[in-house]
Amino acid sequence: MTGRFSDGNLKITHLFEKIGGVGRLFSDERIFEIVREFRPETIFVDCPLTEPPCVSCVRPKCPGVDGCEDLGVAYMQYLVNDSSRKRKRPINPQTQRLWDVNLWSLDRYALQEPSYSANMAPLVARAKTLQRRLRSLDEALTLRETHIPLALKHLNDRLGANQDDVLGYRSFGIGKGCRGRLVERFFANKWVDLNHLDECASSVENFHAFIAAFVGALDLDKMTTQPPNALFSEQGWVCLPSLP
């Protein structure tokens, strides 16, 4: 995307889809080459960029969750114990990050997949590897993290889309129609130019890339949620839209 959301000239200039391996280049290396060529000002991905405390831990002996001295684990324990809910959820610092537990403490309907589930762990490894590659550039680039379903939930108060479309955009049968109506709402609200909107709705992956890029545009205008302290930044923070 180029332009600024605050200036009303945000538009999609390039969309790369189905990036697979070619010859001796595997897909992530091709992503790196695309990023190196276009040098975006900010890059957002729909994937955890940090590991849960137990996964990143280098202590030779594990004292267990209750005896752990890790600040992230301690904060997670505090959030659960401080919750006013009668039904407490046990924390699992092998699969959950501080952000996961904090979200649950704020929203009892939050049912997002743990950051380091069996589905997400390979993506975390890919993202961390890509981040190291981006640091090799003369002007290093830093990946930022968002969460597409939650981003849509935050946007929809202003977007005005049908809730069924927000919930059904990943469906095999009706998903493409839902995605098409959602991107039309972006254009109708004059949030983005019409360029490439059909391609953005053609697949779930393209749609996710579109929303991630839009969150990036909002972040450049300081319209995303920010970590409340340095610990949240270190443990992994998910930026979500925060429109005035």
Side-chain angles (χ1 to χ4, degrees), residues 15-130:
L15 192 153
F16 302 91
E17 59 181 333
K18 298 179 181 178
I19 302 175
V22 174
R24 297 169 64 182
L25 288 178
F26 62 97
S27 58
D28 288 1
E29 190 67 20
R30 291 187 64 202
I31 292 173
F32 171 75
E33 293 297 337
I34 290 169
V35 171
R36 181 165 65 174
E37 178 179 353
F38 289 93
R39 297 295 180 105
E41 192 170 353
T42 187
I43 308 172
F44 272 78
V45 295
D46 177 36
C47 171
L49 298 171
T50 57
E51 298 163 333
C54 287
V55 179
S56 59
C57 180
V58 295
R59 294 173 176 83
K61 295 182 179 180
C62 176
V65 174
D66 291 337
C68 187
E69 298 176 350
D70 184 272
L71 287 178
V73 174
Y75 206 141
M76 290 161 73
Q77 291 274 53
Y78 162 76
L79 289 171
V80 171
N81 293 333
D82 191 54
S83 173
S84 60
R85 304 175 198 179
K86 294 180 180 179
R87 184 178 180 182
K88 309 291 185 182
R89 280 188 184 179
I91 67 168
N92 184 357
Q94 296 180 38
T95 61
Q96 294 173 305
R97 297 180 298 169
L98 176 57
W99 187 86
D100 298 274
V101 177
N102 183 60
L103 178 65
W104 173 82
S105 72
L106 297 173
D107 180 4
R108 63 192 180 96
Y109 296 107
L111 296 173
Q112 87 285 355
E113 187 173 7
S115 294
Y116 212 69
S117 67
N119 290 328
M120 297 305 296
L123 294 177
V124 179
R126 287 183 64 190
K128 289 171 69 69
T129 302
L130 177 59

Side-chain angles (χ1 to χ4, degrees), residues 158-196:
R158 292 278 303 278
L159 187 63
N162 186 301
Q163 188 65 22
D164 289 341
D165 289 338
V166 175
L167 296 175
Y169 79 89
R170 285 181 287 189
S171 169
F172 177 78
I174 63 172
K176 186 173 182 181
C178 294
R179 295 190 297 270
R181 288 185 290 272
L182 286 171
V183 296
E184 285 172 3
R185 291 303 305 163
F186 277 82
F187 175 69
N189 281 296
K190 299 182 179 179
W191 287 359
V192 294
D193 192 82
L194 192 56
N195 289 22
H196 297 291

Side-chain angles (χ1 to χ4, degrees), residues 43-45 49 127-128 130-131 134 141-145:
I43 308 172
F44 272 78
V45 295
L49 298 171
K128 289 171 69 69
L130 177 59
Q131 179 60 86
L134 293 175
L141 293 170
T142 300
L143 296 176
R144 303 284 301 282
E145 182 181 342

